[in-house]
Amino acid sequence: MLKENDIRLEGAGANEGQSRAPDAARGTQAHATARPHSAWSLLATASATCALIALDTNIVAVSLPSIARSFHAGFADVEWVVSAYMVSFASCLLPMGGLADRYGRRKMLLLGLLAFALSSLGCGLAPSIGFLNIWRAAKGVGAAMLLTAALAAIAHAFPGPRERARAWAVWGMTMGIATTVAPLVGGLITQWVGWRWVFLLNLPVCGVLVLSALRSVPDSRNPQAGPVDFAGSLSFGMGLASGIWALIGTQNVGWASPLTSLRFAACALLITLFIAIEKRRRHAVVDLSLFSQARFVAAVLGMFGYAACAQVMMTFLPLYLQNAFEWTPIRAGVGMLPFALSMIVGPYVGARIGRHVTASTSTLSIGLVLVGAGNLLTATLAQLNDYGWTALGMIVTGLGAGVLNGDTQKAIMACVPSHRTGMASGISTTTRFTAIVTSVGVLGAVLASRTQSAIDTAMSCGASGRTCVDARFMSDLLAGDIGHALSRLAPDVQRAMASIAPAGFATGFAAALSVAGCLALVVALVIWLLAGRRRTTERQNVVQS
């Protein structure tokens, strides 16, 4: 779910206070300055590498129902197809940036391509959903290696502010195109040749990129790179995984289960350990003192709200279009276009808003209000079983997402001095992926609960305190395998459930969207209040001085 203007790790986010200027002063960028055409070849290779990650991340969402039908997998298993990848991706971003600085960005890029290709092969040949999710986690590690190395290589090859701005514009355009076409490409591949080729087609692409990287990417590193904070990264990753495990597991064991409590407790303990480690380490992956600034907290909240309430729709919208409307993967990919295309228009809307507001946090609040309004509008219209009206809500959400996509990163970077940009970028993107994977767990739980309630009500089971269908039926339905879910019911019940189940899913989807919409509005309000607090503090400081 990578989007345009995603992280720009200019080396190791883990190494606070280390400017990239010393690296440049030592002449390690000689390849780029001596041969300008080589720098642009590097840009093409690095941008294509990042576009591959964006395509792969967003293509998979369209193929989830087909994966579920192939393995007869439940909804929790399908959620892990997304979550296993996102958890490992978010956990590895910061340490991989440090490794790229220490051992060389070209080496890390090549190693990342190899890891990405091998894990794609494992995903494409996976004999079960369990093996698929293991390989998806491995793929997240490879994607983190690729992204950090590619972005650091771009920043290194274009040291001047003007040429770097042009380079990021080209990179951003490439990412925007990849994100826009991903749902349609995913639908075409899934429907025409099968979901396994969503992963297997990465192999020849990775081969081409390896050859291109060998020819166009010179090696560079930061000779002053500090030690990588593996302890902090490991505790954060395990804590995040425990929390997601708890959220997704509630669909099988319930919220009151001791297992759920144990997993949440493990999450809290590991995150507490992570904070303790970061406070004591000199070269921490996260400088916690940044969070004492109201402006920085507001910017990070903006990124969290954007990812949790808007970007997560790239996962849930394809499920909704295929389950509620019973569309094919190709048609679902086309149905995603209003959301994707409005995201392209959104940054221009954000630029116009920026001309009339002075603070970047105000733009974030406006963008989140648009996302909240769009989600609530879509939630209201989703149960009408009319795609035209649903698309209207998707457009509003997409516009808000586009506004935030252009401004969340800038807002975070504006809060820190230049020598901390690597760390700030790492915090930004780690926040993004953490928000997405957490939102998948929370909204998935809401979707499951409300869909169950809607079906029980329609079948007149709710009043008696029992459920009309078992947990396995619900799991198959939510995953998109409605045929397998219906096959285990009596013939007369099948006929009734064939229409009730899609309507119930639409109700559950509307409830999940309502939660996302309300969260976006709450975050918008908090950001607005934090911005007001900052302005008050600044006025007091002026008066005192």
Side-chain angles (χ1 to χ4, degrees):
M1 296 170 190
L2 291 167
K3 300 289 186 290
E4 180 182 354
N5 293 321
D6 213 321
I7 64 168
R8 300 171 183 179
L9 284 173
E10 301 176 17
N15 301 323
E16 175 189 355
Q18 293 178 4
S19 171
R20 301 300 167 250
D23 192 12
R26 287 168 172 75
T28 58
Q29 84 280 20
H31 297 282
T33 55
R35 293 185 296 168
H37 66 280
S38 297
W40 291 102
S41 298
L42 178 150
L43 175 63
T45 300
S47 296
T49 300
C50 294
L52 171 65
I53 300 172
L55 273 170
D56 182 83
T57 302
N58 293 301
I59 279 175
V60 171
V62 182
S63 66
L64 290 178
S66 296
I67 292 173
R69 287 190 291 271
S70 177
F71 291 126
H72 295 311
F75 185 52
D77 295 320
V78 169
E79 284 186 286
W80 275 116
V81 174
V82 176
S83 299
Y85 176 82
M86 289 291 180
V87 168
S88 62
F89 201 160
S91 304
C92 293
L93 277 167
L94 292 171
M96 290 306 173
L99 290 174
D101 268 0
R102 176 178 285 270
Y103 298 108
R105 292 136 191 175
R106 182 173 184 253
K107 291 178 182 176
M108 187 62 67
L109 184 65
L110 293 171
L111 188 59
L113 284 168
L114 178 62
F116 197 83
L118 289 176
S119 55
S120 294
L121 178 63
C123 290
L125 300 180
S128 67
I129 191 69
F131 279 99
L132 174 60
N133 288 333
I134 291 172
W135 283 112
R136 284 285 288 169
K139 197 173 188 179
V141 177
M145 297 167 68
L146 282 180
L147 191 64
T148 52
L151 295 178
I154 293 173
H156 171 74
F158 296 89
R162 291 188 63 183
E163 61 180 359
R164 182 173 292 185
R166 290 175 60 194
W168 287 132
V170 172
W171 176 84
M173 180 183 68
T174 305
M175 294 292 287
I177 293 172
T179 300
T180 303
V181 304
L184 181 56
V185 172
L188 290 171
I189 295 174
T190 301
Q191 189 166 330
W192 285 356
V193 294
W195 66 265
R196 292 183 183 275
W197 287 95
V198 166
F199 304 107
L200 294 176
L201 287 175
N202 287 331
L203 297 177
V205 177
C206 287
V208 172
L209 289 174
V210 165
L211 295 176
S212 181
L214 289 171
R215 296 183 58 183
S216 62
V217 181
D219 205 7
S220 62
R221 68 187 69 200
N222 181 2
Q224 293 185 335
V228 179
D229 182 11
F230 286 111
S233 301
L234 181 63
S235 59
F236 173 78
M238 292 179 64
L240 179 60
S242 297
I244 301 308
W245 191 15
L247 288 169
I248 293 177
T250 59
Q251 298 164 34
N252 295 324
V253 300
W255 287 94
S257 167
L259 275 177
T260 301
S261 300
L262 183 62
R263 292 164 185 169
F264 276 125
C267 172
L269 180 62
L270 287 164
I271 295 300
T272 301
L273 176 62
F274 166 71
I275 294 172
I277 292 172
E278 298 310 286
K279 286 181 177 180
R280 288 173 171 79
R281 289 188 67 92
R282 180 181 177 186
H283 297 285
V285 292
V286 175
D287 179 7
L288 297 177
S289 66
L290 290 172
F291 289 89
S292 63
Q293 306 174 31
R295 184 185 180 193
F296 185 79
V297 173
V300 171
L301 279 175
M303 177 64 80
F304 186 91
Y306 162 50
C309 304
Q311 279 194 279
V312 74
M313 289 301 107
M314 297 296 286
T315 297
F316 283 100
L317 280 172
L319 279 173
Y320 166 67
L321 294 175
Q322 292 182 67
N323 284 3
F325 291 103
E326 300 181 53
W327 283 2
T328 63
I330 292 179
R331 195 173 180 186
V334 174
M336 289 283 291
L337 287 178
F339 178 81
L341 293 175
S342 59
M343 278 198 67
I344 297 177
V345 179
Y348 299 98
V349 176
R352 288 185 173 272
I353 293 172
R355 297 191 190 111
H356 301 285
V357 297
T358 55
S360 60
T361 48
S362 299
T363 306
L364 298 184
S365 293
I366 294 170
L368 283 166
V369 167
L370 282 172
V371 169
N375 280 345
L376 292 174
L377 180 61
T378 307
T380 303
L381 300 173
Q383 300 179 69
L384 298 179
N385 201 31
D386 187 327
Y387 170 74
W389 287 109
T390 305
L392 177 62
M394 291 165 57
I395 290 172
V396 177
T397 302
L399 286 174
V403 171
L404 294 165
N405 191 35
D407 280 73
T408 45
Q409 180 74 12
K410 289 189 291 186
I412 291 175
M413 301 303 287
C415 299
V416 299
S418 58
H419 67 273
R420 289 184 172 182
T421 54
M423 176 179 291
S425 293
I427 292 173
S428 171
T429 305
T430 302
T431 300
R432 181 189 296 253
F433 286 103
T434 300
I436 292 173
V437 73
T438 303
S439 186
V440 166
V442 172
L443 298 185
V446 174
L447 171 64
S449 175
R450 289 296 299 128
T451 302
Q452 175 81 68
S453 297
I455 291 176
D456 288 344
T457 300
M459 297 290 289
S460 301
C461 298
S464 62
R466 62 184 181 87
T467 59
C468 295
V469 290
D470 59 19
R472 185 61 192 174
F473 175 92
M474 288 301 306
S475 186
D476 289 340
L477 168 64
L478 294 169
D481 193 4
I482 189 171
H484 188 250
L486 293 173
S487 66
R488 290 179 286 109
L489 300 178
D492 57 329
V493 179
Q494 283 186 27
R495 288 189 292 271
M497 193 63 73
S499 59
I500 290 174
F505 187 94
T507 300
F509 176 74
L513 270 187
S514 297
V515 171
C518 291
L519 176 61
L521 296 178
V522 169
V523 174
L525 177 61
V526 172
I527 291 173
W528 189 270
L529 293 174
L530 285 171
R533 175 185 170 188
R534 173 174 166 265
R535 287 191 293 269
T536 301
T537 302
E538 289 177 348
R539 284 195 296 268
Q540 290 174 348
N541 291 338
V542 170
V543 171
Q544 292 174 0
S545 61

